[in-house]
Amino acid sequence: MKHYNCPYCHAYLNAQGYIALAVKKPHGNSGVILLSEEIGDYATKLNPKLDIHEGDLTHFHCPSCTESLHLPSDERLVRILKTDSNGVEHTVIFSAINGERSTYLISDERQLTFGEHALKFMDPEWYLKL
């Protein structure tokens, strides 16, 4: 069974087929967002009062320890951990910009990209510079 964790406190983030994360809009309200746990599926569930629009930068936090999940080098990217059914740990990086479909699954052996905006980072080893 695969599971997702916070890179800081290692709290489990899975919730019935979704990844549960705390979100906050800059100068706005906050709540919980549910992201599909299938990488490349950009289905989300959130309270309509969060009022997140296409192109909005959303701030993601661990719902357990409240640590920011953004990369220190680029606030447009969010990082969580995934352990696959074989017990191999991967880093998952995805865009924090609503509507931007780019996800990166990174392990010691390789990097896989998902989403039509994934080529935004043209340097094939950009993640090594983070």
Side-chain angles (χ1 to χ4, degrees), residues 49-125:
K49 295 226 180 235
L50 282 174
D51 197 30
I52 298 174
H53 300 286
E54 189 92 7
D56 283 352
L57 175 67
T58 305
H59 294 280
F60 288 80
H61 300 272
C62 172
S64 183
C65 70
T66 70
E67 191 72 37
S68 173
L69 297 173
H70 291 262
L71 293 177
S73 59
D74 192 340
E75 74 171 2
R76 299 170 302 160
L77 296 172
V78 176
R79 177 177 70 111
I80 59 175
L81 302 177
K82 174 187 179 184
T83 303
D84 66 23
S85 56
N86 296 323
V88 177
E89 187 173 271
H90 306 270
T91 297
V92 176
I93 297 175
F94 62 91
S95 177
I97 299 171
N98 189 35
E100 187 173 276
R101 295 177 173 190
S102 55
T103 306
Y104 311 91
L105 181 65
I106 303 164
S107 67
D108 290 338
E109 296 84 36
R110 63 184 170 182
Q111 171 193 340
L112 299 175
T113 58
F114 301 85
E116 61 262 29
H117 302 112
L119 295 179
K120 183 174 184 174
F121 296 93
M122 296 304 288
D123 177 358
E125 295 184 348

Side-chain angles (χ1 to χ4, degrees), residues 1-5 11-21 34-35 37 81-83:
M1 179 180 156
K2 64 184 169 214
H3 59 269
Y4 293 86
N5 300 88
Y12 292 105
L13 304 173
N14 296 67
Q16 296 185 343
Y18 290 91
I19 302 165
L21 299 174
L34 301 176
L35 307 174
E37 67 179 28
L81 302 177
K82 174 187 179 184
T83 303

Side-chain angles (χ1 to χ4, degrees), residues 24-40:
K24 181 171 175 52
K25 284 184 56 177
H27 314 293
N29 47 16
S30 61
V32 174
I33 188 168
L34 301 176
L35 307 174
S36 173
E37 67 179 28
E38 294 303 320
I39 294 182

